[in-house]
Amino acid sequence: MTAPKPLAGIRVVERATGVAAAQAGRLMCLMGAEVIMAEPPGGSPLRQEPPLLPGSDSALFTFLATGKRSVTCDLDQPDDRAAFDTLLASADLLIDDTALADRARAGLDQARISQRHPHIVHLSVLPFGAYGPKADWLGEELTLVHAGGEGFLLPNGLSADLFPDRPPLKIAGHFAQMQGGVAAAFTGLSALWAGGGQYVDASVQDANVAVGAFAIQRFGDGSVEHRLTRSFRFGGVIECSDGYVELLTLEERQWQGLVKLLEADDWAADPDLADAVGRSARGDEINRRIRDWASHRKVADLVAAAQELGVPMARYNDAAQVLSGAQETARGIFHEVAASGGTVKVQSLPFRFDPDALPVDCPAPAPGADQSLLEEPAQRRASA
Amino acid sequence: MTPLSGLRVADFTVHAAGPFCTHMLSQLGAEVIKVETALRPDIFRKSHAVYGRKGPATFDQVSSNKLSVRLNLKHPDGIALAKRLVAVSDVAAESFRAGVMERLGLSYDDLRAARPDIVMVSVSSSGQTGPESHFAGYAPLFGAWGGLGHLSGHADGPPVEMRHVMDHSVGMNAALATMAALLQRRRTGRGCHVDVAAREVASSLVGDALVAASAGITVERMGNGDLRRAPHGLYPTRDPDRWLAIAVANDAQWCALAMLMDQADLASDPRYATETARHANSATLDPLIANWSRQSTGEQLAASLQSAGIPAHLSWAASDIVSDPHLRARGAILDVTETGGATRAAVGRVARFSGDDTPGITQGTPTLGGAESYVYGELLGLSDTDISALVADRAIY
């Protein structure tokens, strides 16, 4: 028998047009909450985001919505609004990313929700939050990764060496909005823990500023980080004959391992390289030799030898290599889920509460697949 | 009252990812007791020469609010004391390599013997199980293993290494999982062992690309490009190295941009009139935007674009962030006064709560062992004589 999941018994209603709010719902859903997407007629716009799978389902939506339920409702219509309120009466938490300017018209403003549903944790998820002079600013992935500070600092390392004159670079995919979703879920559950209803105002920008805390601290130390100067003095992205590896030695024993790996007896004997500061000063020279040495070698050979010597090194895995990785397979993190055009692999959450990964076993629902939920009589759920 | 008031965390974490987890909990009011030793200080408390400087890295940020005690985990009495600390804590967090806690005598079973409903949170590079669970790793390696690094970068360039944002996003996931485990404990009375794998966090951040790849769709690096939106990129402004991010998400926004550029004809130009056409012709579209954007300051452009309903933002450095009135109004950036009296900007809470507007950070960096009289004396009930003996024997060291 499958063990109950951590958030069993918690009901969440999700109004999401963006990745961050949908990610917050996804995290709660896979941890066992019942997450009901309340979609507008025609469905969430996330259903249309490319890339589209064979059969036209969105890969992004599939990832974000597996296991969730769906009802559709038009909050401009009184009957739908009433049914939605009945649904909220049964919920513990509302996730909403409706733009501030549109909330009152939809009956989703803070004052109305807290008055009508005082028991609920109302989790607002907006690009710049619901409070402050930029609360009504629009955000997309690209603009948000730059509003949070990390965009300015990328690329670094080899890519910055090769293209110093190009503009800054985003992180792949929906990194910034995913951060917003995780932070929103964390603060939403914290509010549930505190007990009683309240309004939680989560911001994608805040989440990205938080995970970029290093640059803020460095600024406090008196320096502004820049993508062209923050590279590791040696190591980083290293090109091999058949791909790339990442190399990073922070501790003395790891440097000793690196010396052994390169059979660099001259480095071992060089008093200028006896401490980390001396090595940093000659980082360019060290890195030239590492890059030249690695360029003749295969990734798999290098990584195996490095890890054997305690030198932190990893292959830059492409998507197929992640999907079929020995570690990923052993831990069972990818689960087959039905989608249009056949089954796809969807990752479970990156944390687990038992030896096994949390299951991902239901497809993303069609719009309104669970419409009967809107017809249930109002009944408070057992709250967390 | 702070949301996590009354929760206590025994914090054995080191480096960046684990401490960021407990830092997030402390910002919401949990009491976090950081276990350290002078035998082997946290590498982030030490100087960090790999960055070419002598000062510490993120230690001040992630250790603020925390209470520091010295505890020698190589000493049997130190282990006994660790278990007593766990016995009065709700959460025990650690971020050693998989297997280290067990070798120390502090496995989940050991901790559960000290407190049956303990929530143990283990943060590691590859998880507690599997053939590569023993691999050493840091943020750039997590990104490399998980595919995030491979997929980031210029289409004609190499992968890009992830830095501290990778560590910290692992910590944020761990904080989330901790709260779920605590809610489960409240419902069932049962604790659990939370296993957070950093490389899995990295792959989860490109989970949609992995879904697509599993269906046979090619996914590769695409720089600042988007699969649908155009124009979509970083554009120059009047000032050097001051880049403006613009992401036009639909035709209405495109029409608004053409008007703002005073080139209304572009809106109906068949090369750019539809999203598909703009995407296909971005090579000729982007220079048009750049020629316009470099005439003005980024601040002016971002404000006027937002007023016209177009998502835009300057590519901000830390200097922009720490002085931003919006972030300060939200408490996302706040000032912290250190023990020595110096004030620095720090990152505050990641959300605002209607029930509590306490600042996320109320105390600066703790001195090593600064909270021992409270923790060992008040919480664990040790007498001054007991504590002195443990110090003399280097169990507290």
Side-chain angles (χ1 to χ4, degrees), chain A residues 310-372:
Chain A
V311 177
M313 185 183 283
R315 177 174 68 185
Y316 270 94
N317 286 325
D318 64 24
Q321 288 166 330
V322 177
L323 286 165
S324 63
Q327 179 69 3
E328 288 75 10
T329 302
R331 283 173 61 80
I333 68 167
F334 292 106
H335 299 232
E336 294 204 335
V337 171
S340 62
T343 59
V344 293
K345 288 185 175 177
V346 179
Q347 189 183 330
S348 178
L349 297 187
F351 43 79
R352 58 188 64 191
F353 303 86
D354 290 304
D356 294 329
L358 288 161
V360 186
D361 44 15
C362 297
D370 304 285
Q371 204 66 12
S372 60

Side-chain angles (χ1 to χ4, degrees), chain A residues 4-6 8 27 31 49-53 59-60 63 128-135 137-138 140 142-143 146-150 152 155-156 158-159 162-163 166-172 174-175 178-179 182 185-187 189-190 192-194 198-203 205-206 209-211 213-219 226-227 230 232-233 236-237 244 246 248 250-251 253-254 276-277 280 307 312-319 322-323 327-328 330-331 333-334 344-345 347 350-353 384, chain B residues 3 7 20 24 28 40 43 49-51 53 57-58 60-61 126-132 135-136 138 140-141 144-154 156-159 161 163-165 168-169 172-173 175-177 179-180 182 184 186-187 192-195 197 199-201 203-205 207-208 210-211 213-215 217 219 223-224 227-229 232-234 241 243 245-247 249 306 309 311-319 321-322 326-327 329-330 332 345 347 350-355:
Chain A
K5 298 175 189 173
L27 292 160
M31 287 192 285
E49 281 294 326
L52 301 181
L53 301 169
L60 176 63
F63 177 72
F128 295 89
Y131 174 81
K134 287 162 74 171
W137 274 38
L138 300 171
E140 291 280 345
L142 182 70
T143 63
H146 286 279
E150 187 64 11
F152 181 75
N156 44 216
L158 181 59
S159 191
L162 291 170
F163 309 112
R166 291 190 184 178
L169 193 67
K170 73 187 282 286
I171 302 176
H174 308 273
F175 179 91
M178 293 288 190
Q179 303 307 318
V182 178
F186 163 59
T187 52
L189 293 193
S190 296
L192 277 182
W193 174 265
Q198 68 170 312
Y199 183 66
V200 181
D201 166 15
S203 148
Q205 185 192 28
D206 289 1
V209 168
V211 297
F214 182 82
I216 305 304
Q217 165 141 357
R218 291 281 283 136
F219 182 78
H226 193 279
R227 58 192 172 280
R230 79 159 177 170
F232 296 120
R233 294 299 179 262
V237 180
Y244 295 91
E246 174 68 32
L248 178 57
L250 288 184
E251 303 199 44
R253 60 189 159 78
Q254 296 165 347
V277 174
S280 283
Q307 287 286 353
M313 185 183 283
R315 177 174 68 185
Y316 270 94
N317 286 325
D318 64 24
V322 177
L323 286 165
Q327 179 69 3
E328 288 75 10
R331 283 173 61 80
I333 68 167
F334 292 106
V344 293
K345 288 185 175 177
Q347 189 183 330
F351 43 79
R352 58 188 64 191
F353 303 86
Chain B
L7 277 181
F20 193 80
M24 288 291 99
L28 299 191
R40 192 176 176 188
I43 194 170
V50 72
Y51 301 111
R53 65 175 188 280
T58 50
D60 288 331
Q61 172 73 44
S126 301
Q128 299 297 304
T129 58
E132 296 173 5
F135 274 16
Y138 301 110
L141 283 82
W145 277 316
L148 181 65
H150 174 86
L151 291 170
S152 297
H154 297 293
D156 57 348
E161 65 197 8
R163 298 291 288 273
H164 293 84
V165 293
H168 296 157
S169 62
M172 190 88 80
N173 271 275
L176 165 66
M179 290 317 303
L182 285 166
Q184 175 176 253
R186 178 180 281 172
R187 192 183 76 249
C192 66
H193 186 186
V194 180
D195 172 8
R199 69 199 282 173
E200 294 174 12
V201 173
S203 54
S204 76
L205 293 167
D208 55 322
L210 296 174
V211 169
S214 76
I217 296 169
V219 292
N224 283 320
L227 290 168
R228 177 172 72 75
R229 294 160 181 78
H232 187 276
L234 273 286
D241 201 30
W243 301 90
I246 302 175
Q306 285 283 348
H313 204 283
L314 264 174
S315 183
W316 264 3
S319 49
I321 289 170
V322 298
H326 178 75
L327 289 166
R330 296 183 55 75
V347 168
V350 293
R352 301 174 73 252
F353 293 80
S354 64

Side-chain angles (χ1 to χ4, degrees), chain A residues 226-256:
Chain A
H226 193 279
R227 58 192 172 280
L228 298 184
T229 56
R230 79 159 177 170
S231 302
F232 296 120
R233 294 299 179 262
F234 57 90
V237 180
I238 306 291
E239 186 167 13
C240 302
S241 62
D242 60 343
Y244 295 91
V245 296
E246 174 68 32
L247 164 68
L248 178 57
T249 54
L250 288 184
E251 303 199 44
E252 182 61 27
R253 60 189 159 78
Q254 296 165 347
W255 163 257
Q256 302 294 345

